[in-house]
Amino acid sequence: MDIGVLRRDGRTDPFFDGTAAGRLVIRRCEACDRWFAPDETGCPGCGGEDLVWAEASGEATLVTWTVTHSRNGAGPPAHLALVELAEGPWLHARLDGVAPESLREGLPLRAAFVHPDEGESYVLFRE
Ligand SMILES: [Zn+2]
């Protein structure tokens, strides 16, 4: 499935610098040692507003998923998932190379990175 060309918007530079280098970089509050999704801007725990960017392990488990079929029936269906990172935050991402019959809640996954010819690199998850 084509997800379109991703462009960075300035706020997400560290995230896309990370994906370009094959690293999953998300937000972290150093004051209370909690991790957040890349689009989080403040810490709901302590109210801190200076979240740092930090590299996550790339380990995750499957929370839920949906299967989308391409409009013209060409190509395999895509699996869009909500995964829980080992550090805690939830992330929306595509699954790649998964056997549909093996999908289950809690399935261990690992981040993988796609580097398209055009646009930013992005993360997806594999078994
Ligand atoms: Zn905090």
Side-chain angles (χ1 to χ4, degrees):
M1 188 192 67
D2 188 7
I3 64 166
V5 176
L6 296 178
R7 307 282 182 200
R8 61 177 74 200
D9 64 3
R11 292 184 309 116
T12 50
D13 281 355
F15 178 77
F16 286 119
D17 288 346
T19 56
R23 303 185 307 133
L24 181 60
V25 178
I26 60 174
R27 308 305 298 263
R28 188 167 174 278
C29 176
E30 296 198 306
C32 55
D33 195 26
R34 295 208 299 178
W35 296 77
F36 301 100
D39 56 352
E40 193 71 62
T41 55
C43 174
C46 68
E49 287 181 4
D50 41 335
L51 301 183
V52 298
W53 291 94
E55 183 174 354
S57 65
E59 307 282 347
T61 54
L62 184 58
V63 176
T64 187
W65 67 96
T66 172
V67 181
T68 61
H69 298 270
S70 59
R71 202 163 293 168
N72 55 11
H79 294 86
L80 304 178
L82 185 60
V83 305
E84 181 176 337
L85 301 179
E87 289 79 9
W90 289 17
L91 215 58
H92 286 278
R94 233 179 69 193
L95 300 178
D96 181 62
V98 294
E101 63 274 12
S102 75
L103 294 178
R104 59 178 166 80
E105 195 182 325
L107 180 73
L109 298 167
R110 169 156 263 294
F113 298 89
V114 180
H115 309 286
D117 291 338
E118 192 184 356
E120 300 295 342
S121 299
Y122 57 91
V123 62
L124 45 69
F125 285 84
R126 295 186 171 138
E127 261 185 274

